[in-house]
Amino acid sequence: MALLLGCIADDFTGGTDLAGMLVKAGMRTVQMIGIPQGPLPDGIDAVVIALKSRTIAPEVAIAESLEALRWLRAAACRQIYFKYCSTFDSTAKGNIGPVAEALLAELKSGFSIACPAFPANGRTIYKGHLFVGDVLLSDSGMRNHPLTPMTDANLVRVLQQQVKGKVGLVDYVTVAGGEGAIRTRFAALQQDGCNLAVVDAITNADLMAIGAACADMPLVTAGSGVALGLPQNFRKTKLLADDVVADTLPATSGLRAVVSGSCSIATQGQVASMRTHHPAFQVDPLDLARGDDVIGAALEWAKPLLSAGPVLIYATDNPESVKAVQVQLGAEKAGNLVEGALAAIAQGLVSLGVGQLIVAGGETSGAVVKALGINGLRIGPEIDPGVPWTTAITDAPGARPLALALKSGNFGTVDFFTKAWNKLP
Ligand code: ADP
């Protein structure tokens, strides 16, 4: 069956968030890192192309997003979804507005929505104003974000400053009126010359109504929340079967390992917990800085142990030790050294026959994925909120199937590294 939903995400973890949402809503989904270079696996309903376009220059963001769009159209996707952050992270110049307008123009479409609402995470929109929990966006921590400070909660105003066209509002009274009322308002706004409309949403039921009203839109622009309401449209038209089990992964086998470069509090607990049950090897950044062959030593250590069960290789440490290392080496150098070493260790582990790998740390995961030559991820069952098992999509010659769980910082319960294996097929 052809691809139904083609998504462009403006960053990697945002892409994972959307992909997880689509899987939960019943669509078999892959997340690709950048524009796909080869064919996708069979039996996929949705693809998320993850870019890094949130804070780059608008003209570069537009060019990359259009390239992604052209790929998605060539793959015959029926609807395009532009995914940005639920706090509408953007600079004064964009990139949400400029990218949305460029995609509309390329699709020869005159109208789309803008709706970052994600009620389950406390992101709601009322009268065009975005709330984060109980406070306006402009009173939330986002006010001081180093790259995308959000000092105005009025999304109509924020978006209007980024675009050439006219921005309208579908207010809550209309949204509460349901799909029909929303569609009528879309038509009225278009008549009025608007090409984008911020849409209020407070509950998941609102997202379902908005999703239904967007069934015929070539382009939807939103956070991940609106994705909840789109699969129903494809089911209604029989393009998506009711009985699809979206989170089934191809079976993987092989040895098991955990590589951890996250020093977040949750990860510290998870490392401590796994160490009490399984062999563990600590990577010391100062040894790396001295030029010791830590990678070789870690792999020699792991080789005889792997067949008996999962092993843990970690650089994770408490804040005092990390600080001490950073004072000595510089934070950036320490980070790069550790990321490079853990990525090389992950590569070595896979060569030793590891087929099921957990990586802890956002930056660490990025380094590992790059070192392993992974182009994309098929999204599978959720281990804990926000962390699914995936299988790697790669065109690296001779690559064996690899199950991968990429856990960023503070995600997961304390027994994450030991319980995750039970969720694998
Ligand atoms: P998280 O998702 O928890 O933020 P990241 O992998 O994104 O984890 O970031 C952790 C950073 O800390 C990485 O750059 C990693 O290389 C670095 N790091 C890990 N262990 C140490 C350590 N012991 N000393 C200094 N830096 C470390």
Side-chain angles (χ1 to χ4, degrees), residues 2-3 66-78 80 107:
L3 281 170
L66 287 176
E67 199 188 338
L69 173 61
R70 287 177 194 131
W71 190 94
L72 293 168
R73 293 186 86 189
C77 291
R78 290 179 177 256
I80 304 296
L107 286 162

Side-chain angles (χ1 to χ4, degrees), residues 261-264 285 315-317 322 325 334-335 338-339 361-364 408-409:
S262 158
C263 298
S264 300
T316 307
D317 218 333
V322 172
V325 165
V338 173
E339 281 166 37
E363 295 298 325
T364 310
S408 62

Side-chain angles (χ1 to χ4, degrees), residues 205-286:
D206 299 334
L207 295 179
M208 298 303 284
I210 293 165
C214 292
D216 312 318
M217 256 179 211
L219 174 72
V220 172
T221 94
S224 60
V226 170
L228 205 63
L230 294 181
Q232 60 179 344
N233 300 331
F234 299 118
R235 282 196 198 94
K236 247 184 242 166
T237 50
K238 305 279 176 221
L239 289 167
L240 181 67
D242 286 333
D243 56 356
V244 167
V245 183
D247 67 356
T248 309
L249 289 178
T252 51
S253 57
L255 306 169
R256 294 173 167 176
V258 179
V259 170
S260 176
S262 158
C263 298
S264 300
I265 293 171
T267 312
Q268 289 182 52
Q270 289 153 353
V271 164
S273 166
M274 184 169 177
R275 280 182 44 172
T276 60
H277 304 291
H278 297 278
F281 181 100
Q282 183 168 16
V283 171
D284 184 340
L286 297 178

